[in-house]
């Protein structure tokens, strides 16, 4: 007989989970109370009706007394534990005696931690969290609640069967040779190779680790990464176990390394060792010890396999810049019970700190305004509304410049081209934009660009669909090179504004040559 409920101050259910016994008890209760000829209500409505008096009484106590009760028991020995987080009330119930009051309280904090990992900064605001946890579409809401229920059930299973979750500590499998080789593999063969790939579109691997069921076999962090706190790592292990549940007894993991005499230990991962110099280091995975042969065979599958980039999970982790920094999590099962996990920094993640600050500030401001005169004293020494507005306007301007302004360059460059300018360089905020148009003959020799004909203001815009501007431009230029095949090329580039202009122009020239060299296929 178990249940967990999350509701807002309006007694609206944001999430619920029940075991089969509790669900059956509720249904039997409403079968008895229903009048003849009436159908049974939806189970969500039944849950809402059952807990509404408790939710309303809690809200009333908070409003009138500024305090609330945290637990109570009923005549039939059901234990209720409650906790208020801002505008959300968490309630857990146990009626079979399997869980103590402390167990129920722990479950509340675990589900709150999992929602923070999944939803991030919106958990700061009750209104935003309500939109995330209770989507309007029934199908989407059922899919989300099913995921949260699965995570909660995974945690409960781990709590009962896995010693690392019983004491809530990260457990590591210790085998010096194996651990060293695996860390070296993560560093040199995986993280460095992925981060050096130019097709990652600004995504960078910050952490990589290998799990054997729930035990940590190897862990590596890049130089730019913040420390991964133990609570986040435990929550991530729950997410991984939910995706790829272990098929054997979780505490029998040591059988993988049964020949090792070193016992399992609990630990918090230390920062990764400094990068080694290349040269005379032994080849990776050139093992001779028979006791690590199985692990060698497992990890060899990584040589050809890479994580599926189409199915990452968005997670929010604690970082030095922001308490809820968005990351992408990739999971790759290497062998039954062995999983590789990558945590990457997403593009534009630096905006998270400003967004988090603004959200916290406006939630506090809204709370003080609702308190009226009683909150006037609390507002002293706090940032003013004008300061908050200035910060928000700066944040919006920054986001807008990142999102819409690589594209406003195209329209600006085309406008200058219509006026006869084949080269445009301009600075906008933190970025430096360049546009170049040039001509080459069939052998790739760059031809001198003289006057480009300007177009009247009422002419068709530059392009090929509305009006083939480039064909007309080539006809005009080919009149001076009638014995050659003339080709026209364009190049748009975006650089950070801190880079000196001479380096930007040099890089643009090198980039144009590099793009042309591999196949000699025309760029445009």
């Amino acid at each position: 007989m178990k249940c967990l409920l999350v509701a807002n101050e309006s007694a609206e259910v944001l999430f619920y989970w029940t075991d089969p016994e509790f669900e059956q008890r509720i249904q039997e209760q409403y079968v008895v109370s229903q009048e003849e000829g009436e159908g049974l209500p939806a189970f969500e409505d039944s849950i809402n009706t059952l807990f509404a008096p408790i939710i309303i009484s809690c809200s009333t106590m908070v409003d009138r007394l500024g305090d609330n009760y945290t637990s109570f028991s009923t005549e039939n020995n059901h234990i209720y534990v409650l906790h208020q987080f801002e505008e959300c009330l968490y309630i857990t119930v146990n009626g079979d005696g399997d869980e103590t009051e402390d167990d129920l309280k722990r479950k509340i904090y675990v589900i709150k931690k999992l929602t923070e990992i999944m939803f991030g900064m919106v958990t700061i605001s009750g209104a935003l969290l309500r939109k995330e946890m209770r989507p309007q579409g029934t199908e989407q809401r059922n899919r989300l609640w099913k995921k949260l229920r699965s995570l909660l059930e995974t945690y409960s299973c781990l709590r009962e069967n896995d010693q690392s979750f019983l004491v809530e500590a990260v457990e590591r499998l210790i085998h010096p040779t194996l651990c060293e080789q695996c860390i070296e593999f993560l560093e040199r063969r995986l993280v460095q190779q992925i981060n050096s790939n130019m097709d990652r579109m600004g995504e960078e691997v910050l952490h990589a680790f290998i799990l054997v069921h729930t035990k940590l076999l190897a862990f590596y962090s890049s130089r730019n990464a913040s420390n991964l706190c133990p609570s986040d790592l435990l929550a991530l292990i729950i997410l991984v176990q939910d995706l790829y549940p272990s098929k054997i007894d979780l505490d029998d993991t040591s059988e993988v390394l049964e020949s090792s005499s070193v016992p399992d230990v609990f630990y918090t991962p230390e920062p990764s060792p400094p990068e080694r110099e290349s040269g005379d280091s032994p080849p990776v995975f050139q093992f001779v010890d028979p006791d690590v042969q199985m692990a060698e065979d497992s990890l060899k599958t990584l040589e050809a396999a890479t994580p599926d980039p189409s199915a990452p999970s968005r997670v929010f982790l604690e970082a030095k810049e922001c308490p809820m920094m968005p990351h992408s999590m990739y999971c790759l099962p290497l062998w039954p019970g062995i999983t590789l996990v990558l945590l990457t920094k997403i593009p534009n993640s630096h905006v998270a700190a400003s967004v988090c600050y603004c959200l916290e500030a406006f939630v506090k401001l809204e709370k003080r305004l609702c308190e009226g005169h009683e909150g006037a004293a609390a507002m002293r020494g706090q940032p003013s509304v004008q300061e908050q507005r200035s910060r928000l306007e700066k944040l919006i301007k920054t986001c807008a410049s990142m999102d819409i302004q690589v594209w406003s360059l195209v329209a600006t460059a085309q406008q200058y081209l219509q006026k006869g300018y084949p080269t445009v360089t301009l600075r906008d905020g933190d970025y430096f934009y360049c546009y170049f148009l040039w001509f080459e003959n069939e052998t790739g020799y760059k031809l001198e660009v003289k006057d480009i004909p300007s177009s009247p203001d009422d002419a068709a815009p530059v392009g090929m669909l509305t009006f083939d501007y480039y064909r007309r431009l080539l006809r005009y230029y080919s009149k001076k090179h009638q014995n050659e095949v003339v080709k026209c090329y364009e190049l748009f580039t975006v650089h950070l504004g801190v880079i000196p202009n001479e380096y930007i122009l040099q890089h643009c020239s090198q980039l144009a040559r590099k793009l042309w060299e591999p196949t000699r296929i025309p760029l445009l």
Side-chain angles (χ1 to χ4, degrees):
M1 292 282 293
K2 300 179 179 64
C3 176
L4 183 143
L5 177 81
V6 182
N8 58 16
E9 294 178 334
S10 303
E12 187 176 29
V13 176
L14 303 184
F15 168 70
Y16 74 89
W17 170 86
T18 64
D19 65 357
E21 291 79 8
F22 193 94
E23 183 175 351
Q24 182 179 358
R25 181 70 175 271
I26 296 297
Q27 290 175 343
E28 291 175 352
Q29 178 180 339
Y30 278 93
V31 168
V32 174
S33 62
Q34 283 297 105
E35 296 183 5
E36 185 177 355
E38 293 185 3
L40 289 175
F43 188 74
E44 182 181 333
D45 296 333
S46 302
I47 286 283
N48 185 282
T49 303
L50 177 67
F51 285 96
I54 300 175
I55 299 171
I56 294 173
S57 65
C58 288
S59 300
T60 303
M61 290 186 65
V62 171
D63 291 339
R64 296 184 179 181
L65 304 178
D67 199 0
N68 189 15
Y69 49 87
T70 59
S71 65
F72 63 88
S73 59
T74 61
E75 293 180 352
N76 56 0
N77 295 323
H78 285 197
I79 303 175
Y80 286 69
V81 174
L82 307 88
H83 199 96
Q84 185 92 21
F85 293 104
E86 299 299 333
E87 302 174 18
C88 294
L89 179 65
Y90 291 68
I91 305 175
T92 50
V93 185
N94 181 267
D96 54 17
D98 288 346
E99 296 173 309
T100 66
E101 185 175 320
D102 184 67
D103 293 331
L104 297 178
K105 183 178 180 181
R106 188 181 301 275
K107 187 183 291 186
I108 287 178
Y109 277 87
V110 168
I111 193 64
K112 181 176 182 295
K113 175 65 177 181
L114 292 175
T115 56
E116 290 174 348
I117 289 285
M118 292 181 63
F119 303 121
M121 289 167 283
V122 300
T123 57
I124 298 173
S125 167
L128 294 178
L129 181 60
R130 186 258 179 210
K131 293 181 180 180
E132 291 291 334
M133 293 191 67
R134 189 180 174 86
Q136 291 184 354
T138 303
E139 182 179 351
Q140 184 180 1
R141 181 164 66 247
N142 290 338
R143 185 166 58 250
L144 173 62
W145 286 3
K146 182 179 179 181
K147 176 65 175 179
L148 285 172
R149 288 166 186 156
S150 179
L151 290 174
L152 190 60
E153 291 169 357
T154 299
Y155 161 74
S156 299
C157 180
L158 293 174
R159 175 83 177 166
E160 293 175 0
N161 298 286
D162 187 275
Q163 63 182 11
S164 59
F165 279 87
L166 179 64
V167 299
E168 295 191 0
V170 180
E171 187 175 2
R172 180 175 179 180
L173 294 174
I174 296 298
H175 189 289
T177 304
L178 177 61
C179 292
E180 182 180 356
Q181 296 287 350
C182 287
I183 292 174
E184 185 175 359
F185 175 84
L186 291 176
E187 176 187 3
R188 296 191 178 185
R189 297 286 184 87
L190 199 66
V191 176
Q192 290 184 3
Q193 184 173 350
I194 293 177
N195 288 345
S196 62
N197 188 345
M198 300 302 294
D199 296 333
R200 299 299 298 175
M201 300 297 292
E203 198 173 18
E204 176 188 359
V205 178
L206 298 180
H207 305 282
F209 55 92
I210 298 174
L211 293 173
V212 179
H213 302 298
T214 61
K215 322 304 182 192
L216 196 63
L217 176 62
F219 187 96
Y220 175 77
S221 298
S222 67
R223 293 170 179 254
N224 300 327
S226 300
N227 291 332
L228 186 60
C229 67
S231 62
D232 282 351
L233 184 52
L234 282 172
L236 292 175
I237 293 175
I238 295 177
L239 266 65
V240 174
Q241 276 294 305
D242 186 63
L243 289 173
Y244 308 108
S246 296
K247 302 299 183 182
I248 64 173
D249 187 356
L250 296 176
D251 282 331
D252 290 339
T253 308
S254 58
E255 294 181 1
V256 176
L257 304 175
E258 57 183 1
S259 60
S260 174
S261 60
V262 183
D264 297 350
V265 297
F266 298 98
Y267 94 121
T268 298
E270 298 292 338
S272 301
E275 184 177 355
R276 301 178 182 178
E277 297 293 333
S278 59
D280 298 332
S281 59
V284 178
F285 293 125
Q286 187 173 349
F287 296 124
V288 294
D289 297 342
D291 57 333
V292 296
Q293 185 64 46
M294 177 181 176
E296 178 188 9
D297 295 339
S298 302
L299 292 176
K300 276 185 177 179
T301 60
L302 272 177
E303 297 289 349
T306 56
D308 180 9
S310 63
S313 300
R314 180 60 48 83
V315 293
F316 294 82
L317 308 174
E318 183 179 341
K320 55 187 177 183
E321 307 91 347
C322 175
M324 298 180 186
M325 181 68 74
H327 294 70
S328 289
M329 182 180 75
Y330 298 83
C331 295
L332 178 66
L334 308 178
W335 199 263
I338 302 179
T339 309
L340 169 70
V341 181
L342 300 180
L343 297 172
T344 68
K345 180 180 69 174
I346 65 173
N348 303 334
S349 60
H350 59 280
V351 181
S354 299
V355 172
C356 187
Y357 174 85
C358 288
L359 271 177
E360 286 182 332
F362 279 101
V363 167
K364 292 178 182 178
L365 180 60
E366 182 182 22
K367 185 177 181 180
R368 296 187 194 115
L369 292 175
C370 292
E371 292 172 352
H373 296 293
E374 297 179 0
M379 294 185 67
R380 295 171 186 169
Q382 299 293 332
S384 64
V385 177
Q386 290 77 12
E387 292 179 42
Q388 304 292 2
R389 181 175 180 178
S390 176
R391 283 179 174 268
L392 185 61
E393 288 177 346
K394 183 178 180 180
L395 172 62
I396 293 174
K397 183 178 179 181
T398 301
C399 294
S401 65
M402 290 189 304
D403 184 30
I404 202 72
Q405 295 300 318
V406 193
W407 295 108
S408 64
L409 168 65
V410 175
T412 302
Q414 290 175 343
Q415 291 172 4
Y416 276 98
L417 184 60
Q418 279 189 312
K419 296 178 182 179
Y421 295 94
T423 301
V424 179
T425 59
L426 57 91
R427 183 186 298 273
D428 184 4
D430 296 330
Y431 299 96
F432 194 88
Y433 301 94
C434 297
Y435 166 76
F436 303 95
L437 180 141
W438 72 96
F439 299 93
E440 294 182 2
N441 60 19
E442 198 171 18
T443 63
Y445 178 77
K446 186 176 179 181
L447 303 176
E448 183 181 0
V449 180
K450 295 185 179 179
D451 296 334
I452 299 294
S454 59
S455 303
D457 294 337
D458 59 349
V462 171
M464 289 186 285
L465 290 174
T466 54
F467 172 71
D468 201 339
Y469 173 86
Y470 300 100
R471 183 181 296 273
R472 184 185 134 208
L473 187 62
L474 281 172
R475 287 175 181 170
Y476 172 84
Y477 197 82
S478 296
K479 291 179 180 178
K480 302 178 181 179
H481 300 271
Q482 295 183 359
N483 297 327
E484 297 180 281
V485 177
V486 179
K487 299 182 180 295
C488 176
Y489 300 100
E490 288 181 306
L491 178 66
F492 294 88
T493 63
V494 182
H495 292 78
L496 288 174
V498 296
I499 302 177
N501 294 355
E502 58 270 20
Y503 290 115
I504 292 177
L505 297 177
Q506 181 182 1
H507 178 259
C508 291
S509 177
Q510 293 174 347
L511 178 61
R513 289 196 300 269
K514 186 174 182 180
L515 291 172
W516 170 257
E517 287 172 356
T519 60
R520 306 293 292 178
I521 297 176
L523 302 178
L524 297 174

